[in-house]
Amino acid sequence: MRRFLLLATALLVLLAIGLPCAALYCALYTQSGLRFVVSHLPQRFGHVVVRIEDVSGTVAGGARAGLVLIDQERVHLEFRGIYTRVRLEPLLWQIIRTPETTVASAYIEVKPPPPGPPGPHRAPEFLPRWLTIDIGHTSVGKAVLVVPDGTRLEGSGISGSALLRHRDIRFRQAQLQMAEVHFALSGGALHASDPLRLSGEGRITWQPRGQPVWTLEAKTQGDLDRLGLGATILAPFHGDLTGEMLDLTHDWHWDGQAVVRDFDLRAWHLTGALGAISGHLALSGAGKGFTARGTLDPAGFRAGPFDVQFAGEYSDRALTARNIDVLNPASGTHAIASGTIGIIPGGPRLDLRGTWRNFRWPLAGRSVAFRSSAGSFGLSGLLPYDFEAKGMARIAGLDPVPAAVAGKLGDDGVSVSSGSVDLLRGHADLHGEVTWAPVQRWTVSGSATGIDPGEWRPDLPGSLDFGVAMSGGGFKAG
């Protein structure tokens, strides 16, 4: 009898130890055990709903899931085609540590803040207090983010690592490709508050096909009501951006300031006649539209700063300008234009129309070779651009006369294929060329008919027909 009791006790002890070990082994090292655990997980943790489907593999050797769905009061998440490995030892301390994870696709929908009951609000949270998730190297094939106003943002080639706690998510590093824009995050954090707080810093690279590469070093700090931004522009020119994004969960908009240091149109294979452009702009926008207002100083004109205004929008690789307003206070020259600027290989492609008032050339200096009180112009196509202009022209000391020209505008000069001027009771048809690089020179040729020199000098009345051929080099303000 005594021996039987000893054997029974020993068997019970073995069962007490062995059964949990066997259950643990089954859960961690067999596919059937993994599926059993997943099927018995609660689908709701407080206000968070979790659903896991199509599970295969093992926890220790690597597990797969067709879908992981997480629905919380402020965000809805769907991850598909997941593979991950989980280290076993940290589970003892309620830490899920995944050294490697891949996700085929992710869908993230940020919900509008729900109307809260009167009284104090419950603080939002990412995870239960007892749980920590340490995500090692993770890659996501493609992702879709939907913000509360319905805007969809799509990205691909996503990778990174992060640490998730009760109310904080800290990103060690992350990379994301959105169309032609690449984001490389060197550090950042989200804090579960109302509104959500976030911070981050990294590099943004925009490489539109056939256009210069834009590179910015950026930082952000704030919340979804007021998110502060700061950036240093490294290419294709140098400058600084500061500003804020406001009301991101409702009617989002932004405003800021830009300091421009050495903007040069030659980076776009356009003329270098303007030289390095510097200045300061006040910026604002909402959705795809934005405005800019301030002063820009093109060093090549030597005419002082220009007052500039812009209003338009960017969409589908095209900048639509509703209004471009440029005024040079020193000379009084004023131009207004509108149209589109297409960002394409070999571009930009222009389709601009506008008017001018009080134009003079040169813009600076006491000696003025040409004046025009008013006129209109058009600029279209790819470089060299087609242009046309017509208006009132005044050359040297002559009276103003109507004139019209058409031709090509290149990065090194302008060629006039047809020009007509009514002057001195006659008419002149002219063509020519003005170049400013690599050397400054100009040529004009054509014919004139019915010119009455008596309009210039009363003692020389008559009617003259003649040809014109002139050339010269250099442009200099007197």
Side-chain angles (χ1 to χ4, degrees), residues 165-320:
R165 292 194 175 100
H166 176 50
R167 289 186 179 169
D168 291 285
I169 300 177
R170 298 196 175 276
F171 299 95
R172 300 186 185 95
Q173 58 86 24
Q175 296 190 56
L176 164 65
Q177 187 75 33
M178 292 181 62
E180 298 168 334
V181 183
H182 182 262
F183 298 88
L185 186 69
S186 57
L190 300 176
H191 181 74
S193 59
D194 191 10
L196 180 72
R197 294 207 309 267
L198 62 158
S199 64
E201 59 181 271
R203 173 169 288 209
I204 303 172
T205 305
W206 178 35
Q207 189 167 12
R209 191 158 50 98
Q211 298 294 317
V213 177
W214 290 68
T215 305
L216 297 84
E217 295 281 359
K219 292 184 178 181
T220 182
Q221 179 82 40
D223 57 45
L224 295 183
D225 283 349
R226 185 181 296 272
L227 181 62
L229 300 171
T232 299
I233 303 173
L234 305 177
F237 63 97
H238 294 91
D240 294 299
L241 296 171
T242 57
E244 293 179 325
M245 299 184 72
L246 305 168
D247 200 10
L248 291 172
T249 58
H250 294 92
D251 184 23
W252 80 275
H253 55 284
W254 57 271
D255 58 51
Q257 304 287 326
V259 176
V260 181
R261 293 198 177 88
D262 54 4
F263 186 91
D264 195 329
L265 289 175
R266 287 177 295 183
W268 285 266
H269 309 292
L270 299 177
T271 175
L274 276 65
I277 302 173
S278 60
H280 183 277
L281 298 172
L283 309 172
S284 64
K288 298 175 181 177
F290 68 97
T291 65
R293 179 191 297 265
T295 59
L296 294 175
D297 187 356
F301 279 170
R302 299 180 181 177
F306 286 68
D307 297 334
V308 297
Q309 298 181 47
F310 175 90
E313 63 180 40
Y314 180 82
S315 178
D316 298 329
R317 299 178 58 83
L319 181 63
T320 300

Side-chain angles (χ1 to χ4, degrees), residues 66-393:
L67 170 67
V68 174
L69 183 148
I70 303 173
D71 189 79
Q72 191 246 13
E73 56 187 338
R74 297 299 300 272
V75 67
H76 176 84
L77 308 173
E78 293 182 15
F79 302 99
R80 299 181 183 273
I82 301 172
Y83 169 79
T84 188
R85 290 190 303 110
V86 178
R87 292 188 60 182
L88 302 181
E89 314 91 85
L91 294 175
L92 299 174
W93 294 274
Q94 298 175 332
I95 298 174
I96 299 176
R97 182 167 295 156
T98 61
E100 179 185 0
T101 301
T102 60
V103 179
S105 66
Y107 175 84
I108 304 169
E109 179 181 351
V110 180
K111 303 177 183 179
H121 295 282
R122 184 180 59 84
E125 55 191 41
F126 294 125
L127 295 173
R129 292 181 179 274
W130 49 266
L131 180 61
T132 298
I133 301 178
D134 188 353
I135 302 175
H137 180 268
T138 299
S139 61
V140 180
K142 59 181 180 180
V144 175
L145 171 65
V146 181
V147 296
D149 68 355
T151 302
R152 291 172 62 95
L153 303 174
E154 299 185 11
S156 61
I158 306 165
S159 64
S161 62
L163 182 66
L164 288 70
R165 292 194 175 100
H166 176 50
R167 289 186 179 169
D168 291 285
I169 300 177
R170 298 196 175 276
F171 299 95
R172 300 186 185 95
Q173 58 86 24
Q175 296 190 56
L176 164 65
Q177 187 75 33
M178 292 181 62
E180 298 168 334
V181 183
H182 182 262
F183 298 88
L185 186 69
S186 57
L190 300 176
H191 181 74
S193 59
D194 191 10
L196 180 72
R197 294 207 309 267
L198 62 158
S199 64
E201 59 181 271
R203 173 169 288 209
I204 303 172
T205 305
W206 178 35
Q207 189 167 12
R209 191 158 50 98
Q211 298 294 317
V213 177
W214 290 68
T215 305
L216 297 84
E217 295 281 359
K219 292 184 178 181
T220 182
Q221 179 82 40
D223 57 45
L224 295 183
D225 283 349
R226 185 181 296 272
L227 181 62
L229 300 171
T232 299
I233 303 173
L234 305 177
F237 63 97
H238 294 91
D240 294 299
L241 296 171
T242 57
E244 293 179 325
M245 299 184 72
L246 305 168
D247 200 10
L248 291 172
T249 58
H250 294 92
D251 184 23
W252 80 275
H253 55 284
W254 57 271
D255 58 51
Q257 304 287 326
V259 176
V260 181
R261 293 198 177 88
D262 54 4
F263 186 91
D264 195 329
L265 289 175
R266 287 177 295 183
W268 285 266
H269 309 292
L270 299 177
T271 175
L274 276 65
I277 302 173
S278 60
H280 183 277
L281 298 172
L283 309 172
S284 64
K288 298 175 181 177
F290 68 97
T291 65
R293 179 191 297 265
T295 59
L296 294 175
D297 187 356
F301 279 170
R302 299 180 181 177
F306 286 68
D307 297 334
V308 297
Q309 298 181 47
F310 175 90
E313 63 180 40
Y314 180 82
S315 178
D316 298 329
R317 299 178 58 83
L319 181 63
T320 300
R322 296 191 302 272
N323 180 62
I324 303 173
D325 192 309
V326 180
L327 170 67
N328 179 235
S331 66
T333 297
H334 188 195
I336 299 174
S338 62
T340 61
I341 303 172
I343 310 300
I344 64 171
R349 182 193 296 275
L350 303 183
D351 185 9
L352 299 173
R353 297 290 183 269
T355 60
W356 73 77
R357 290 187 293 109
N358 301 325
F359 178 75
R360 55 162 280 178
W361 188 261
L363 292 173
R366 289 170 296 179
S367 176
V368 183
F370 175 83
R371 290 183 185 272
S372 177
S373 59
S376 62
F377 67 91
L379 198 59
S380 61
L382 297 172
L383 191 70
Y385 299 108
D386 296 318
F387 81 91
E388 57 185 31
K390 60 181 179 180
M392 298 300 294

Side-chain angles (χ1 to χ4, degrees), residues 37-46 48-52 130:
V37 171
V38 170
S39 66
H40 287 78
L41 286 175
Q43 294 194 358
R44 180 177 291 273
F45 296 89
V48 180
V49 175
V50 179
R51 193 170 82 239
I52 305 175
W130 49 266

